[in-house]
Amino acid sequence: SWKPPSWSQIPPPSQQWHLDELKNGNLIASHSLNNLLSSSSNNNRRCITFGRIDDPTQIDILTAHESCSRLHARIAFTASGAPYLKDLGSGNGTFVNNRQLPVEACGKWECTDSMKEV
């Protein structure tokens, strides 16, 4: 079974992270990553997984976008609160600032970066 990276932590309370889900340029959902990481239903996984599979044992954020894979990507945070995004082998890829992340590689994600599933 999957385990979070040993370095992943819940971000400090002073840092509030959220993921806005857009479809055709319209905001359809905003997800508080801090709330998801600190909820008891997350089973202390210390990271956020998102995709289209409707299975709460595997997904923290169920997305509506058809280009998103069933298990698309994960976001994990370092002790200082720096987020890292990992593509989980998605069919269409994950892009940060229009650059595709290599499959299974972790890329640092800055608060001003935009992420897109294609």
Side-chain angles (χ1 to χ4, degrees):
S1 97
W2 182 84
K3 292 186 179 176
S6 60
W7 50 263
S8 65
Q9 302 290 321
I10 294 175
S14 61
Q15 296 180 357
Q16 293 298 307
W17 290 94
H18 68 275
L19 179 68
D20 290 336
E21 187 176 349
L22 304 171
K23 188 169 184 177
N24 298 323
N26 298 311
L27 179 66
I28 59 172
S30 186
H31 308 277
S32 168
L33 303 185
N34 299 71
N35 289 348
L36 286 167
L37 286 167
S38 61
S39 75
S40 59
S41 64
N42 190 281
N43 297 323
N44 297 316
R45 286 190 274 183
R46 300 185 323 264
C47 62
I48 301 291
T49 304
F50 58 94
R52 287 187 302 112
I53 187 171
D54 192 7
D55 180 351
T57 66
Q58 296 185 60
I59 296 291
D60 301 297
I61 298 175
L62 180 63
T63 60
H65 203 283
E66 59 277 351
S67 69
C68 192
S69 294
R70 293 167 50 90
L71 282 170
H72 197 93
R74 284 199 176 99
I75 301 169
F77 294 88
T78 65
S80 66
Y84 280 78
L85 180 66
K86 181 177 184 175
D87 183 290
L88 298 175
S90 63
N92 295 314
T94 302
F95 293 75
V96 176
N97 294 332
N98 294 319
R99 290 191 327 239
Q100 187 168 6
L101 281 179
V103 174
E104 295 292 329
C106 271
K108 188 171 183 188
W109 190 21
E110 302 294 339
C111 63
T112 56
D113 289 345
S114 64
M115 189 260 319
K116 168 173 85 168
E117 310 117 4
V118 178

